[in-house]
């Protein structure tokens, strides 16, 4: 097992569009989870990139605290348990969670965003994509708040994006006429 944990940390808060110097590569000590307390060590295999991440880099009040300067950039990840004494999370288990831009992370059931286990029907791409945060936002936003009914017209802004494209498909499945607003020629 290696002794350092490479991380891409938030180095400065972007103004407008991101630039490479908003991030810095850092070598941190390996996480040392409290195995006796059920915590486990995971290795990140996949990193998700979501529009919401731009918001987490700013100090604007939000549904989540901002990423601190010097901390690994926050992200959804698919990670694999590589060291564990927790029978609920044996080594090899794939988890969806928020483990950031780093190689390894310590995971606890009490994390701000609790982990979800992947099963054999859910690939990492599905967990970070169509079953991930953007799509669940589209699902709950439309179904819970919008409550679409057959025959209604649903207008979706940002319809070419991860969230909008799923909202549009759900509205179609509910029998609505869907008008998508998109900027690009395609
Ligand atoms: N609160 C939550 O839990 C939550 C979860 C998911 C997403 N969101 C929010 O939902 C929004 C969309 O997220 P996403 O993941 O779908 O992003 P995305 O995949 O990057 O899609 C964004 C879409 O917005 C359009 N767009 C970009 N800049 C624009 C501009 N200046 N004016 C008009 N349209 C523009 C683009 O459309 P064209 O390609 O047509 O130009 C792009 O396809 C973001 O604001 C995100 O933060 C919130």
């Amino acid at each position: 097992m290696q002794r350092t944990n490479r991380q891409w940390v938030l180095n400065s808060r972007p103004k407008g569009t991101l630039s490479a110097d908003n991030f810095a590569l850092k070598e941190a000590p390996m996480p040392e989870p409290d195995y006796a307390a059920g915590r486990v060590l995971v290795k990140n295999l996949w990193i998700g990139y979501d529009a919401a991440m731009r918001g987490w880099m700013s100090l604007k009040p939000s549904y989540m605290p901002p990423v601190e300067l010097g901390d690994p950039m926050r992200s959804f990840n698919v990670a694999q348990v590589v060291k564990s004494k927790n029978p609920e999370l044996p080594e090899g288990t794939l988890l969806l969670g928020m483990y950031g831009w780093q190689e390894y992370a310590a995971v606890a059931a009490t994390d701000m965003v609790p982990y979800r286990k992947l099963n054999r029907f859910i690939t990492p791409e599905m967990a970070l994509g169509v079953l991930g945060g953007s799509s669940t936002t589209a699902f709950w936003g439309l179904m819970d708040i919008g409550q679409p009914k057959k025959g209604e017209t649903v207008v979706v802004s940002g319809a070419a994006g991860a969230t909008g494209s799923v909202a549009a498909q759900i509205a179609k499945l509910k029998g609505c006429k869907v008008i998508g607003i998109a900027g690009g020629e395609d």
Side-chain angles (χ1 to χ4, degrees):
M1 176 79 68
Q2 66 188 63
R3 294 158 70 139
T4 54
N5 187 25
R6 286 184 301 169
Q7 307 174 320
W8 280 100
V9 301
L10 187 63
N11 195 37
S12 59
R13 299 202 184 276
K15 295 183 177 65
T17 309
L18 306 185
S19 67
D21 47 320
N22 294 135
F23 306 96
L25 184 61
K26 183 170 133 183
E27 292 215 344
M30 278 293 285
E32 289 178 9
D34 182 351
Y35 294 107
R39 300 198 161 93
V40 303
L41 183 72
V42 296
K43 183 175 194 305
N44 278 327
L45 303 181
W46 295 72
I47 297 177
Y49 288 89
D50 295 301
M53 294 162 79
R54 176 62 185 82
W56 304 336
M57 296 173 201
S58 85
L59 290 172
K60 217 168 117 187
S62 174
Y63 56 94
M64 263 190 198
V67 177
E68 296 292 341
L69 293 180
D71 278 0
M73 182 55 211
R74 182 187 296 148
S75 61
F76 277 103
N77 302 70
V78 169
Q80 187 161 39
V81 178
V82 289
K83 204 166 171 195
S84 168
K85 291 190 174 149
N86 182 341
E88 287 287 310
L89 295 174
E91 286 163 20
T93 308
L94 290 179
L95 301 179
L96 172 69
M98 276 192 147
Y99 309 127
W101 293 4
Q102 57 184 341
E103 288 176 292
Y104 293 91
V107 174
T110 52
D111 286 342
M112 178 170 65
V113 173
Y115 63 77
R116 282 189 282 157
K117 284 191 216 176
L118 272 61
N119 62 34
R120 66 195 169 90
F121 301 109
I122 301 176
T123 63
E125 294 94 324
M126 286 161 77
L128 292 170
V130 74
L131 300 177
S134 300
S135 299
T136 44
T137 298
F139 179 85
W140 291 110
L142 188 64
M143 299 299 287
D144 218 33
I145 310 293
Q147 300 185 7
K149 306 202 176 37
K150 194 173 175 181
E152 286 183 338
T153 299
V154 173
V155 178
V156 180
S157 62
T163 308
S165 60
V166 170
Q169 291 175 73
I170 295 169
K172 277 193 164 184
L173 288 171
K174 296 301 285 182
C176 299
K177 178 182 177 185
V178 181
I179 298 174
I181 301 173
E185 300 253 322
D186 293 342

